[in-house]
């Protein structure tokens, strides 16, 4: 009984928000216009500019910019880096959020803070950390040089820097989700005799799959688009350690505008695809969370 | 139940550490250190250079590869890296394994020798002309028709003039800009620069130094954006349309005019400027380790050949052996009084220490000006 009363109340409340806050129409319209103008000015116009500049000399010149050996190398490297960084971040993100959300242990808050660290640190610093560690004058540099292992100014350094800056994306997405879901379902599974591994695969993972996908999409976008940290450790070797964002800068600095904007447009396309995927995932999660109370009335009772 | 969960917590932490180790290991496995092996029919060298040499080395690398193939039958691939000279030197010090460096000024190569010990201290004696196969100077680039009427250094500090130059801390070109301005102010005060070495004129020289400092202070107060490299500054001036005059390498100014339209910019040659000597050298440590010494040395020596000299002149660098260059190209270089850093500033080591080191004159005037 109490449950239905409450849901009626929320329904009424949502109806009120849809109808507006009681502000006069012109206020609502001008707020709308202002935000649209902002969006247009800061997002749509620059995006359009990227594509117009890229196509300035025709589609032929546009496509030709991708035939270039260095451009192809940059695209390949970017894909490689994202291909390494994203799966590793999935493993780490799952492990970290699982540990934090489902278990009690000392130093948990320290761990959460550490995971957030890359968000708080400027990407340039993230790159410099690796220079200080692996650089020839750094802590491990002399040893690495003696063993002919090159980390910075080579692909491994770029991968490390990318992992560092994209570190929090998956974990940050999953931690609140897992915390919200609590440990009850896992406890039930354990009581029913499931092993830890089975519990993880059959209970925990299905519950967070959309959140995980969302984190992966964001993580991938950042991994491909990162400039600052990668710029510090790259060494800017043409055709070897230039990722797409770095290659855009080089082409621009060489007055090669069509090619620069062509590569930039590829990155912009990636952003657009990311946005579409993100919207789909959001839509799916929302649908699932609204469907959930109907299918499991027990949880509703619990709330009341 | 709770106990079990707590125990599992430890297990989870262990998992986490394991994941961390996997992460770092995966980062290392890709480290196939690809130093070009000298044997075989192909070889790779890395040339770490400064900002405005991009177009020169694009052409020169192709020419050298052809020459080397003909001479030895070996195919050579030259990888380029460009950026502000100070930044590039720093990267080599930090472990960028350059076989050769072709930087904007001797000090940056000195730094590689001193801080990382990758090459001997007397590197500059290894090739002719102080290891500088080409020279350049600093000129002004102004907007078409020279609307602010800029003719010489003194016009840069006229009211309402905005000056664009990169940051002397990171850019070699900017250090030449700064010293050229300083030299002009000294010349203006003293009339005759030989007074600098005359002990009898010490008080007059001290007064002139004071004036020079004041001039350079005023100059840098007019700089709205300090980019980290020469190409960044050119873009600020040319693409973003900021400022009235760009202090630029002569070659960079010519390139901007040809690439972006002679109808947009004019080059102004001041009455006096500095002889900029960008040196080149082999980085012994990496060349030996990669087994590329032979090709790296040939690469730099070929810069002095008629082919190298002609390409330098074509890309607006003043060749040190102009006989090899195209006379048509040579006509483009205007005559002007060029002073040498060794004569006026006692060499790069001293100039760097007095002017550009932390707490040096540039730091003092730039923070004071803010």
């Amino acid at each position: 009984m109490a449950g239905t009363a409450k849901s009626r109340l929320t329904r009424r409340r949502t109806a009120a928000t849809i109808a507006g806050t009681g502000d006069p129409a012109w206020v609502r319209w001008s707020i709308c216009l202002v935000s649209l103008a902002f969006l247009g000015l800061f997002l749509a116009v620059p995006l359009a500019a990227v594509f117009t500049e890229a196509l300035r000399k025709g589609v032929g010149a546009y496509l030709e910019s991708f035939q270039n050996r260095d451009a192809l190398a940059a695209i390949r490297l970017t894909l490689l880096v994202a291909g390494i960084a994203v799966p590793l971040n999935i493993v780490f993100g799952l492990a970290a959020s699982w540990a934090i959300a489902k278990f009690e242990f000392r130093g948990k808050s320290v761990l959460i803070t550490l995971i957030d660290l890359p968000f708080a640190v400027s990407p340039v610093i993230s790159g410099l950390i690796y220079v200080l560690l692996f650089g020839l004058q750094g802590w491990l540099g002399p040893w690495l040089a003696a063993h002919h292992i090159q980390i910075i100014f080579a692909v491994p350094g770029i991968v490390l820097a990318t992992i560092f800056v994209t570190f929090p994306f998956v974990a940050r997405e999953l931690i609140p989700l897992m915390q919200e879901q609590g440990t009850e379902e896992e406890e039930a599974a354990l009581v029913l005799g499931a092993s830890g591994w089975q519990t993880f695969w059959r209970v925990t993972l299905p519950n967070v799959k959309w959140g995980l996908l969302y984190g992966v999409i964001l993580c991938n976008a950042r991994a491909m688009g990162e400039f600052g940290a990668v710029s510090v450790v790259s060494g800017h070797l043409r055709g070897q350690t230039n990722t797409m964002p770095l290659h855009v800068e080089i082409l621009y600095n060489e007055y090669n505008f069509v090619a620069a904007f062509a590569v930039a447009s590829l990155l912009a396309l990636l952003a657009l695809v990311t946005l579409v995927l993100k919207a789909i995932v959001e839509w799916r999660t929302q649908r699932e969370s609204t469907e959930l109370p109907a299918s499991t009335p027990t949880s509703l009772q619990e709330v009341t | 139940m709770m106990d079990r969960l707590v125990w599992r917590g430890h297990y989870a932490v262990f998992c986490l550490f394991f994941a961390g180790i996997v992460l770092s290991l995966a980062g290392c496995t890709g480290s196939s250190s690809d130093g070009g092996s000298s044997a075989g029919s192909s070889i790779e060298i890395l040339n770490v250079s400064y900002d405005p040499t991009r177009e020169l080395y694009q052409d020169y690398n192709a020419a050298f590869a052809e020459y080397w193939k003909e001479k030895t039958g070996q195919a050579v691939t030259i990888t380029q890296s460009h950026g502000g000279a100070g930044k590039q030197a720093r990267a080599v010090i930090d472990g960028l394994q350059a076989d050769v460096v072709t930087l904007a000024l001797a000090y940056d190569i000195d730094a590689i020798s001193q801080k990382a010990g990758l090459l001997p201290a007397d590197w500059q004696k290894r090739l002719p002309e102080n290891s500088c196969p080409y020279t350049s100077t600093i000129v002004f680039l102004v907007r078409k028709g020279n609307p602010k009427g800029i003719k010489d250094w003194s016009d840069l500090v006229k009211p309402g003039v905005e000056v664009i130059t990169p940051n002397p801390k990171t850019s070699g070109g900017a250090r030449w800009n700064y010293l050229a301005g300083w030299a002009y102010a000294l010349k203006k005060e003293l009339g005759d620069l030989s007074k600098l070495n005359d002990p009898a004129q010490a008080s007059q020289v001290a007064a002139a130094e004071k004036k020079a400092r004041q001039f350079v202070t005023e100059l840098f107060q007019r700089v709205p954006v300090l980019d980290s490299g020469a190409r960044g500054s050119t873009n600020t001036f040319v693409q973003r349309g900021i400022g009235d005059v760009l202090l630029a390498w002569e070659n960079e100014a010519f390139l901007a005019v040809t690439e972006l339209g002679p109808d947009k910019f004019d080059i102004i040659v001041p009455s006096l400027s500095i002889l900029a000597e960008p040196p080149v050298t082999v980085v012994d440590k990496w060349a030996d380790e990669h087994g590329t010494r032979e090709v790296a040395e040939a690469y730099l020596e070929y810069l002095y050949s008629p082919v190298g000299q002609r390409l330098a002149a074509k890309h607006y660098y003043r060749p040190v052996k102009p006989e090899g260059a195209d006379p048509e190209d040579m006509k483009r270089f205007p005559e002007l009084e060029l002073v040498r850093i060794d004569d006026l500033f006692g060499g790069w080591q001293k100039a760097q220490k007095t002017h550009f080191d932390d707490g040096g004159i540039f730091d003092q005037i730039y923070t004071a000006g803010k």
Side-chain angles (χ1 to χ4, degrees):
Chain A
M1 258 347 299
T4 45
K6 183 158 186 182
S7 65
R8 212 175 294 147
L9 192 76
T10 42
R11 208 171 300 146
R12 208 178 301 145
R13 211 179 283 150
T14 42
T17 32
I18 288 165
T21 50
D23 287 323
W26 67 268
V27 173
R28 272 183 280 143
W29 275 108
S30 48
I31 288 174
C32 254
L33 276 179
V34 166
S35 40
L36 277 180
F38 255 81
L39 276 177
L41 200 63
F42 292 107
L43 290 176
V45 173
L47 203 59
V50 167
F51 285 96
T52 25
E53 285 292 331
L55 294 167
R56 183 167 291 260
K57 290 190 183 150
V59 182
Y62 177 79
L63 292 176
E64 208 170 281
S65 350
F66 299 115
Q67 304 292 317
N68 182 290
R69 204 171 57 94
D70 292 340
L72 285 176
I75 294 170
R76 248 197 321 270
L77 179 63
T78 304
L79 292 177
L80 173 76
V81 168
I84 298 174
V86 173
L88 286 174
N89 271 330
I90 294 175
V91 174
F92 168 79
L94 273 172
S97 49
W98 197 44
I100 286 168
K102 308 288 180 186
F103 302 99
E104 290 303 325
F105 55 90
R106 239 184 291 169
K108 193 159 149 178
S109 55
V110 177
L111 186 61
I112 296 178
T113 318
L114 276 179
I115 290 172
D116 275 345
L117 192 69
F119 274 160
V121 172
S122 153
V124 177
I125 308 295
S126 317
L128 279 178
I129 295 169
Y130 289 105
V131 174
L132 291 178
L133 263 181
F134 299 116
L136 196 57
Q137 316 302 317
W139 290 3
L140 305 173
W143 186 87
L144 289 170
H147 290 79
H148 304 285
I149 301 171
Q150 205 177 1
I151 304 273
I152 55 164
F153 307 124
V155 176
I158 296 175
V159 173
L160 281 177
T162 308
I163 290 175
F164 185 89
V165 288
T166 54
F167 208 57
F169 282 93
V170 175
R172 261 289 138 204
E173 207 54 52
L174 291 183
I175 291 169
L177 195 63
M178 286 196 182
Q179 271 174 338
E180 193 189 348
Q181 284 168 353
T183 55
E184 281 138 33
E185 289 185 28
E186 277 87 354
E187 278 170 23
L190 287 175
V191 167
L192 291 171
S195 70
W197 200 237
Q198 280 175 317
T199 316
F200 176 75
W201 278 110
R202 304 254 176 108
V203 180
T204 314
L205 200 56
N207 273 341
V208 296
K209 61 172 187 264
W210 292 113
L212 178 64
L213 193 57
Y214 187 82
V216 168
I217 290 167
L218 289 181
C219 178
N220 184 56
R222 180 68 188 267
M224 289 188 171
E226 175 58 27
F227 179 85
V230 169
S231 172
V232 177
V233 296
S234 136
H236 306 272
L237 310 186
R238 302 197 66 149
Q240 290 181 14
T241 63
N242 270 324
T243 60
M244 278 160 74
L246 299 182
H247 195 62
V248 172
E249 193 204 21
I250 287 192
L251 290 171
Y252 184 82
N253 278 344
E254 284 171 6
Y255 308 116
N256 199 344
F257 301 122
V258 169
F261 282 101
V263 179
S265 74
L266 213 59
L267 280 169
L269 271 180
L270 169 82
L272 290 176
V273 170
T274 306
L275 280 182
V276 172
L277 283 177
K278 187 173 148 275
I280 293 173
V281 170
E282 262 171 4
W283 176 70
R284 289 297 298 256
T285 8
Q286 221 163 36
R287 211 180 58 174
E288 239 161 64
S289 64
T290 46
E291 270 172 6
L292 211 62
S295 57
T296 53
T298 41
S299 62
L300 235 183
Q301 269 168 16
E302 229 168 296
V303 173
T304 53
Chain B
M1 180 94 270
M2 211 49 217
D3 277 352
R4 194 165 165 210
L5 277 180
V6 169
W7 183 84
R8 279 177 168 274
H10 292 290
Y11 178 67
V13 172
F14 170 76
C15 275
L16 204 61
F17 271 110
F18 180 71
I21 289 164
V22 170
L23 278 182
S24 39
L25 274 183
C28 298
T29 45
S31 65
S32 52
S33 58
D34 40 15
S37 55
S38 73
S41 60
S42 76
I43 195 162
E44 260 186 67
I45 57 172
L46 168 59
N47 176 6
V48 171
S49 194
Y50 64 111
D51 240 347
T53 55
R54 296 160 196 261
E55 291 76 12
L56 165 64
Y57 281 110
Q58 218 165 3
D59 265 11
Y60 176 74
N61 289 350
F64 176 74
E66 207 175 293
Y67 158 80
W68 189 249
K69 178 96 192 169
E70 213 166 89
K71 192 179 164 203
T72 65
Q74 197 177 35
V76 57
T77 316
I78 300 128
T79 308
Q80 287 292 140
S81 169
H82 295 276
K87 198 182 95 187
Q88 293 292 82
R90 187 70 239 176
V92 174
I93 291 168
D94 282 330
L96 184 59
Q97 299 188 357
D99 299 285
V100 298
V101 284
T102 52
L103 294 177
L105 43 92
Y107 181 79
D108 287 324
I109 302 183
D110 280 342
I112 297 173
S113 165
Q114 286 162 6
K115 294 208 171 83
L118 301 176
L119 43 94
D122 64 346
W123 61 270
Q124 207 163 4
K125 299 209 180 77
R126 297 195 289 194
L127 285 167
E129 307 284 339
N130 277 331
S131 295
C132 300
Y134 42 76
T135 64
S136 189
T137 186
I138 301 300
V139 297
F140 307 158
L141 192 67
V142 296
R143 309 216 175 267
K144 191 74 196 174
N146 195 4
K148 300 269 168 146
I150 290 158
K151 294 196 181 64
D152 209 345
W153 289 94
S154 50
D155 297 322
L156 300 182
V157 295
K158 281 197 307 197
V161 175
E162 271 193 339
V163 182
I164 302 293
T165 165
N167 188 346
K169 295 291 232 183
T170 52
S171 156
R175 273 175 262 176
W176 291 116
N177 290 346
Y178 172 107
L179 294 176
W182 192 283
Y184 168 82
L186 281 185
K187 164 92 179 181
K188 199 176 155 203
E189 287 305 310
L190 294 172
D192 178 10
L193 286 170
S194 64
K195 283 182 188 171
L196 281 172
N197 300 321
D198 185 356
Q201 308 282 352
S203 65
Q204 207 188 338
V205 168
E209 296 264 351
K210 214 169 159 187
K211 283 272 189 200
R213 180 182 172 134
Q214 200 182 343
F215 174 75
V216 175
T217 309
E218 269 181 62
L219 187 65
F220 274 87
Q221 276 169 357
R222 290 161 184 283
V223 181
V225 197
L226 278 180
D227 287 285
S228 70
R231 196 48 73 83
S233 276
T234 310
N235 274 331
T236 299
F237 183 76
V238 166
Q239 301 291 333
R240 293 165 59 199
I242 298 176
D244 303 303
V245 52
L246 172 74
L247 306 186
W249 290 98
E250 185 180 47
N251 56 290
E252 188 77 356
F254 272 115
L255 183 72
V257 170
T258 34
E259 282 283 323
L260 302 148
D263 51 330
K264 288 185 191 137
F265 306 100
D266 283 330
I267 292 174
I268 303 291
V269 181
S271 64
L272 173 147
S273 196
I274 199 154
L275 179 72
E277 299 175 292
V280 301
T281 198
V282 172
V283 183
D284 298 60
K285 158 112 176 156
W286 301 128
D288 287 340
E289 203 168 304
H290 301 162
T292 51
R293 176 176 282 280
E294 198 190 339
V295 60
E297 278 174 355
Y299 178 74
L300 295 183
E301 276 156 20
Y302 196 59
L303 278 169
Y304 292 88
S305 74
V307 176
Q309 294 290 298
R310 192 166 62 244
L311 284 175
K314 181 184 164 206
H315 289 282
Y316 314 107
Y317 287 88
R318 297 178 177 225
V320 288
K321 291 180 179 156
E323 316 77 83
D326 185 344
E328 281 303 308
D329 286 343
M330 293 307 294
K331 275 190 209 152
R332 300 181 300 192
F333 298 115
E335 297 256 343
L336 73 161
E337 184 182 352
L338 293 174
V339 296
R340 298 180 85 105
I341 179 163
D342 291 349
D343 303 337
L344 245 65
F345 298 93
W348 262 114
Q349 287 297 331
K350 196 166 163 233
Q352 174 77 24
K353 207 164 167 226
T354 323
H355 294 277
F356 308 116
D357 271 358
D358 285 338
I361 295 177
F362 175 74
D363 273 351
Q364 293 165 29
I365 64 174
Y366 199 66
T367 41
K370 284 277 139 183

